[in-house]
């Protein structure tokens, strides 16, 4: 079992009245405006509970008006803590109050920064294998998602190939995405092979899935993937991403209320499929980069981290967020600042599951170096927020008295006894927060943070090979991928 | 049998407790072990282990210094008085005088360097802090130093290092003695500017520097 970071040390930002104003606006959005549901399967679930459904004009105008009672029911049923397991039980985690866990990647980006040339290029299935091996090695990631897409396989079966890579190359929990119910089913089939069947998988949830609405207020067919996972009893994460000024109001509060409404609609879908099933909440308030400089808006942090965490607490739901992802195109100073912000703030707010580590350029570019940096940043933040031991031994009055003015503590027994408990002693191979003297830095070829992370990355890729799946399991999983290829690729020829 | 006692001596140093080292040293002497063998076959081995482990990152600064301090204490208090002929004492790679310059009382860094150089096999005379230029010259002459090192931690005391170079020139010792400098504000450039012989940013660099200056092959 991996312990989460002790999060939740920041106080709430909004008053209870303000939180309730947001909530009641979201309730009005769902009940008075409604969501357009583009999935027949999901629509059926709403029909079954008697939600008002308006089939106007064309087939695509299917508006579901979600009454407050459904929202209340879903909030009542959804659990506030649950296990998130892993192929290797030593990597099991528990989603619980004020414990923060970080997840590697989550998005199949179309570019990867080549570790050798430093150039952008299209990622391949092999790159994904490397990235997942890396994720398996980096100790502060308790969950793993794809960081780069497998763009050298046929596009229609890209996700099946990616799930295959994930399941083969890490024994940690896997939290990822699928573009359809079919792909989600295939991912579940693969995981079932590993744990021994659907009932075993429900009890031992080694995979989870994120799902997104399309803003404003559309339940897309792609959400059938999330439905499949919910039906299978596995954890699902909501991820509505409206952009203020474009797909949501420009004002932070309105944008958040809309996002919150969409997130609640995903919660309801999960609870209609499986009452009491594990759900992780997220809402935000991104802003369209509408100025010439297309800057990153602080409003996204306020909504996606501060308000989102507070709403989750109000709903008594676990929370997730988009964490250490950078808008920078390279792993530079901007990336460093954004990565630290993306680690520190969600943890301080006690968000339980922080995903998307290691993506640059808003999630279009994968940087394995950025994940190496993130891993160390998470370690630092974890140490900063860890419990502080104040007792006679740690206050060390007698030691101070013994050493006295002008003495030194370097070789005192107390120093030798406790120095290995310090963070730097436990992490002596870290490279990001470099503290060497400038003379050594000059002699050592002036390596900046990127170069140091790159060296560590290459070393890990040369050394770390994850615990493999049994041969017959590997074969079964690749059969499932072939099955998908036969179905999807042959269809196209017909 | 005698092999065991040398292992025991080496292991006692690795406890980093000088009482342990003293006890084991007494035991070895009672068994009739030559003091020079105690140093060469027991302590030198231990200090090498500590140095190697530090290089690998397994041991820390404090352990290296603690080990060196333990050995130095036993040498000063027990073994050196027993070895009457000074030449038979611990084989030394060279004689080094180390001090902090006038007006500066920072000494942790300088003491670390002293411990490392001692552990590496040099005879180190640590002459403390707030040391005048004259004292550096006198001590160097007295102990027949190969290297003199001066530390300055403040940018205000940095110019003292330049005065040291001048003083050794005036004393006619500049050609015989290597002058090395260190301290937080010191850079390679500064040492070049004042015509010193070398600068090191870390203890291990300092060992390499001194060995290079004295043409000692590792």
């Amino acid at each position: 079992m991996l312990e989460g970071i002790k999060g939740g040390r920041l106080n709430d930002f909004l008053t209870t009245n303000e939180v309730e104003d947001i909530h009641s606006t979201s309730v009005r959005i769902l009940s008075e405006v409604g969501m357009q549901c583009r999935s027949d399967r999901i629509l059926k679930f709403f029909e079954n509970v008697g939600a008002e459904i308006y089939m106007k004009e064309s087939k695509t105008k299917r508006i579901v008006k979600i009454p407050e009672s459904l929202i209340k029911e879903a909030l009542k049923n959804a659990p506030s803590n649950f296990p998130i397991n892993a192929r290797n039980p030593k990597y099991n985690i528990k989603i619980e109050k004020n414990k923060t866990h970080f997840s590697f990647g989550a998005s199949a980006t179309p570019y990867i920064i080549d570790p050798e040339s430093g150039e952008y290029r299209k990622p391949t299935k092999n790159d994904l294998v490397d990235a997942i091996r890396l994720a398996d090695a980096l100790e502060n990631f308790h969950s793993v998602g794809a960081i780069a897409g497998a763009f050298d396989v046929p596009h229609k079966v890209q996700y099946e190939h990616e799930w295959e890579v994930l399941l083969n190359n890490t024994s940690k929990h896997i939290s990822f995405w699928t573009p359809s119910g079919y792909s989600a089913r295939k991912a579940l089939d693969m995981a079932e092979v590993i744990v021994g069947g659907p009932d075993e998988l429900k009890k031992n949830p080694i995979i989870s899935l994120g799902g997104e609405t399309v803003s404003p207020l559309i339940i897309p067919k792609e959400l059938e993937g999330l439905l499949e996972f919910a039906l299978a009893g596995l954890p699902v994460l909501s991820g509505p991403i409206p952009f203020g000024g474009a797909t949501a109001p420009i004002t932070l509060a309105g944008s958040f209320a809309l996002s919150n409404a969409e997130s609640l609609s995903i919660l309801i879908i999960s609870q209609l499929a499986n009452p009491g099933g594990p759900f992780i909440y997220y809402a935000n308030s991104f802003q369209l980069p509408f100025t010439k400089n297309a800057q990153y808006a602080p409003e996204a942090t306020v909504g996606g981290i501060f308000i989102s965490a507070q709403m989750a607490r109000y709903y008594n739901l676990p929370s997730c967020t988009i964490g250490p992802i950078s808008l920078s195109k390279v792993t530079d100073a901007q990336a460093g600042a954004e990565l630290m912000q993306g680690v520190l703030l969600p943890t301080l707010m006690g968000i339980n599951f922080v995903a998307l580590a290691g993506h640059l350029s808003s999630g279009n570019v994968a940087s394995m170096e950025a994940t190496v940096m993130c891993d160390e940043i998470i370690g630092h933040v974890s140490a900063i927020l860890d419990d502080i031991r104040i007792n006679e031994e740690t206050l060390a009055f007698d030691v101070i008295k013994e050493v006295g003015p002008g003495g030194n503590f370097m070789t005192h027994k107390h120093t030798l006894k406790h120095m290995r408990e310090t963070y730097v002693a436990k992490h002596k191979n870290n490279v990001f927060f470099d503290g060497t003297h400038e003379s050594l830095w000059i002699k050592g070829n002036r390596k900046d943070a990127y170069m140091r992370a790159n060296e560590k990355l290459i070393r890990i890729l040369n050394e770390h090979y994850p615990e493999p799946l049994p041969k017959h399991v590997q074969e079964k999983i690749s059969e499932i991928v072939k099955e998908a290829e036969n179905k999807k690729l042959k269809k196209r020829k017909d | 049998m005698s092999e065991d006692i040398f292992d025991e001596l080496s292991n006692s140093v690795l406890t980093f407790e000088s009482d342990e080292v003293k006890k084991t040293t007494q035991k070895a002497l009672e068994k009739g072990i030559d003091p020079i063998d105690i140093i060469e076959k027991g302590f030198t081995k231990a200090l090498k282990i500590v140095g190697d482990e530090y290089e690998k990152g397994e041991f820390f600064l404090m352990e290296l210094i603690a080990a060196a301090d333990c050995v130095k204490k036993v040498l000063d208090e027990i073994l050196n008085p027993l070895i009457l002929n000074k030449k038979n004492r611990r084989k030394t790679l060279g004689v080094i005088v180390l001090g902090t310059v006038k007006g500066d009382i920072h000494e942790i860094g300088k003491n670390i360097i002293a411990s490392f150089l001692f552990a590496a096999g040099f005879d180190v005379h640590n002459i403390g802090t707030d040391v005048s230029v004259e004292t550096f010259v006198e001590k160097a002459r007295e102990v027949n130093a190969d290297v003199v090192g001066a530390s300055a931690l403040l940018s205000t005391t940095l110019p003292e290092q330049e005065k040291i170079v001048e003083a050794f020139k005036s004393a006619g010792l500049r050609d015989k003695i290597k002058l090395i400098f260190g301290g937080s504000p010191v850079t390679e450039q500064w040492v070049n500017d004042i015509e010193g012989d070398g600068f090191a940013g870390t203890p291990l660099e300092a060992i390499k520097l001194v060995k290079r200056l004295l043409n000692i092959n590792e």
Side-chain angles (χ1 to χ4, degrees):
Chain A
M1 175 90 123
L2 296 171
E3 269 297 304
I5 306 173
K6 290 188 170 60
R9 295 198 189 266
L10 265 190
N11 289 331
D12 287 343
F13 278 57
L14 301 179
T15 64
T16 309
N17 280 343
E18 287 169 333
V19 167
E20 281 168 357
D21 284 347
I22 291 175
H23 173 68
S24 62
T25 305
S26 300
V27 170
R28 287 188 66 198
I29 294 169
L30 289 175
S31 60
E32 294 176 29
V33 185
M35 299 283 298
Q36 185 191 71
C37 184
R38 295 193 179 173
S39 155
D40 289 339
R41 282 188 73 193
I42 294 172
L43 204 60
K44 264 266 173 315
F45 281 93
F46 283 110
E47 270 172 7
N48 288 346
V49 289
E52 277 183 86
I53 296 167
Y54 295 83
M55 302 287 257
K56 276 197 226 157
E57 294 149 32
S58 72
K59 234 190 154 188
T60 54
K61 270 274 180 191
R62 295 168 301 182
I63 305 296
V64 184
K65 294 202 173 167
I66 302 172
E68 190 173 6
S69 58
L70 261 188
I71 302 168
K72 276 190 175 153
E73 180 74 11
L75 284 169
K76 201 182 81 199
N77 288 337
S80 59
N81 57 65
F82 44 84
I84 281 197
N85 287 0
R87 160 145 74 88
N88 184 334
K90 77 174 179 185
Y91 294 131
N92 286 356
I93 61 180
K94 198 171 174 211
I95 295 295
E96 59 186 330
K97 200 174 176 218
N98 290 340
K99 284 286 174 69
T100 302
H101 300 274
F102 284 82
S103 193
F104 182 95
S107 182
T109 63
Y111 293 105
I112 188 166
I113 297 180
D114 186 288
E116 272 167 35
S117 70
E119 299 292 333
Y120 281 17
R121 64 170 170 74
K122 275 242 170 315
T124 62
K125 192 173 176 181
N126 267 342
D127 289 323
L128 187 57
V129 170
D130 284 348
I132 304 310
R133 284 200 291 127
L134 174 68
D136 192 69
L138 296 174
E139 62 168 343
N140 293 306
F141 291 111
H142 294 177
S143 160
V144 181
I147 187 179
F151 280 87
D152 54 342
V153 303
H155 178 63
K156 285 194 166 182
V157 288
Q158 183 192 329
Y159 277 84
E160 283 76 4
H161 280 274
E162 287 164 2
W163 276 95
E164 181 192 20
V165 170
L166 282 158
L167 290 162
N168 269 310
N169 290 284
T170 182
S171 50
K172 294 180 182 177
H173 179 78
I174 293 165
S175 187
F176 190 38
W177 196 79
T178 66
S180 66
Y182 179 83
S183 292
R185 192 55 252 170
K186 290 294 132 192
L188 291 164
D189 289 348
M190 293 181 206
E192 283 168 9
V193 173
I194 294 172
V195 298
D199 292 341
E200 285 78 4
L201 186 59
K202 192 173 177 175
K203 274 183 253 155
N204 187 16
I206 62 167
I207 57 175
S208 60
L209 193 85
E212 294 160 19
T213 43
V214 174
S215 300
L217 304 170
I218 293 171
I219 294 168
K221 201 165 157 39
E222 286 83 1
L223 260 183
E224 287 174 9
L226 184 134
L227 179 73
E228 284 287 356
F229 268 62
L231 286 167
L234 294 184
V236 295
L237 299 82
S238 75
I241 309 179
F243 274 78
T247 53
I250 184 78
T251 46
L252 191 159
S255 173
F256 189 89
L258 176 83
S259 177
N260 185 47
E262 293 183 8
S263 193
L264 290 173
S265 77
I266 298 174
L267 164 74
I268 292 162
I269 293 166
S270 81
Q271 298 304 305
L272 289 177
N274 177 28
F279 168 88
I280 305 182
Y281 168 92
Y282 168 64
N284 65 37
S285 55
F286 281 105
Q287 213 174 58
L288 181 77
F290 58 87
T291 63
K292 197 177 151 202
N293 281 338
Q295 293 169 60
Y296 167 73
E299 284 87 342
T301 302
V302 177
I305 297 174
F306 295 144
I307 308 181
S308 187
Q310 202 178 338
M311 291 308 290
R313 275 204 282 266
Y314 172 72
Y315 291 140
N316 206 16
L317 291 173
S319 54
C320 61
T321 196
I322 293 175
I325 174 175
S326 173
L327 278 67
S328 181
K329 268 48 72 180
V330 288
T331 33
D332 59 357
Q334 180 191 350
E338 288 171 351
L339 296 184
M340 177 47 111
Q341 172 172 299
V343 171
L344 185 60
L345 298 181
T347 311
L348 284 173
M349 286 305 290
I351 289 177
N352 307 108
F353 195 86
V354 185
L356 277 142
H359 292 304
L360 300 182
S361 196
S362 320
N364 286 335
V365 178
S367 163
M368 290 196 270
E369 286 83 0
T371 65
V372 170
M373 292 178 188
C374 269
D375 176 62
E376 293 193 13
I377 293 171
I378 297 164
H380 263 252
V381 166
S382 168
I384 289 165
L385 297 175
D386 207 357
D387 288 337
I388 303 160
R389 289 183 304 139
I390 307 285
N391 57 41
E392 209 181 320
E393 173 71 9
T394 61
L395 285 167
F397 173 79
D398 291 341
V399 181
I400 296 167
K401 191 174 168 189
E402 195 188 320
V403 171
N408 84 67
F409 297 81
M410 277 203 108
T411 56
H412 196 284
K413 264 187 211 163
H414 186 265
T415 305
L416 296 174
K417 183 177 166 194
H418 291 290
M419 66 186 180
R420 283 179 203 282
E421 298 160 12
T422 61
Y423 180 79
V424 289
K426 287 186 200 154
H427 298 84
K428 45 191 194 290
N429 296 322
N430 278 6
V431 298
F432 184 64
F433 294 99
D434 175 37
T436 45
H437 192 271
E438 67 274 15
S439 63
L440 283 183
W441 179 78
I442 290 166
K443 276 188 193 156
N445 295 329
R446 299 165 190 263
K447 284 176 197 152
D448 64 13
Y450 174 77
M451 291 156 83
R452 297 194 299 274
N454 178 264
E455 283 182 357
K456 184 171 173 181
L457 161 69
I458 304 281
R459 197 177 69 238
I460 293 171
L461 292 182
N462 284 333
E463 289 169 2
H464 183 79
Y465 288 90
E467 188 187 327
L469 284 168
K471 197 108 197 115
H472 69 278
V473 174
Q474 289 182 32
E475 284 164 9
K476 277 227 166 117
I477 289 175
S478 85
E479 274 167 32
I480 293 170
V481 177
K482 286 212 179 75
E483 227 175 85
E485 282 179 346
N486 286 339
K487 186 177 153 63
K488 291 191 189 176
L489 301 179
K490 277 193 183 149
K491 224 187 207 173
R492 197 165 52 169
K493 281 178 196 160
D494 290 343
Chain B
M1 168 68 191
S2 60
E3 287 306 313
D4 291 347
I5 189 73
F6 294 128
D7 280 346
E8 233 179 281
L9 283 164
S10 169
N11 290 337
S12 73
V13 175
L14 298 179
T15 65
F16 310 110
E17 298 205 25
S18 58
D19 286 348
E20 278 299 310
V21 186
K22 275 184 201 165
K23 236 193 315 185
T24 321
T25 304
Q26 293 295 1
K27 190 174 151 190
L29 288 171
E30 279 159 25
K31 288 187 180 206
I33 308 283
D34 191 310
I36 291 166
D37 284 344
I38 291 178
I39 300 168
E40 297 298 332
K41 295 183 186 167
F43 297 160
T44 308
K45 184 181 157 202
L47 292 175
K48 172 135 181 32
I49 292 172
V50 181
D52 290 349
E53 291 299 304
Y54 179 81
E55 283 259 24
K56 278 193 256 166
E58 294 304 320
F59 277 8
F60 302 146
L61 199 58
M62 294 82 146
E63 282 157 332
L64 216 148
I65 294 157
D69 282 2
C70 289
V71 171
K72 189 155 174 27
K73 225 176 235 171
V74 172
L75 250 56
D76 290 347
E77 292 174 21
I78 305 173
L79 296 177
N80 281 346
L82 293 175
I83 307 168
L84 295 174
N85 184 346
K86 213 174 175 184
K87 275 194 180 150
N88 280 347
R89 285 190 187 173
R90 179 173 180 246
K91 274 183 208 152
T92 164
L93 294 175
V95 179
I96 300 170
V97 170
L98 283 183
T100 304
V101 299
K102 183 104 198 133
D104 204 328
I105 58 161
H106 295 91
E107 63 171 344
I108 296 258
K110 180 251 313 162
N111 290 349
I112 292 172
I113 301 291
S115 295
F116 270 70
L117 287 170
F118 171 79
F122 292 95
D123 184 9
V124 181
H125 297 268
N126 186 345
I127 55 173
T129 62
D130 195 18
V131 177
S132 70
V133 170
E134 296 76 27
T135 311
F136 271 109
V137 175
E138 276 163 32
K139 190 71 187 180
R141 196 174 264 143
E142 179 200 322
V143 299
N144 202 11
D146 299 303
V147 176
V148 170
S151 164
L153 205 92
L154 307 171
S155 51
T156 50
T157 55
L158 207 49
E160 284 291 313
Q161 294 183 336
E162 191 168 9
K163 286 189 201 160
I164 289 172
V165 179
E166 293 308 315
F168 275 84
K169 272 187 196 161
S170 317
L173 294 170
R174 186 66 189 92
D175 297 340
K176 294 180 199 126
I177 297 173
K178 301 291 181 188
L179 300 175
I180 61 171
F181 299 99
S184 180
V186 182
T187 62
E188 192 131 38
Q189 187 61 49
W190 161 256
V191 176
N192 288 339
D193 290 348
I194 64 171
E195 293 173 10
D197 294 307
F199 157 82
T202 70
L204 294 179
E205 291 269 309
I207 293 171
K208 279 184 198 147
L209 170 68
V210 171
K211 284 185 175 172
R212 180 163 54 78
L213 292 175
L214 300 181
N215 292 316
I216 298 162
N217 294 319
E218 289 183 66

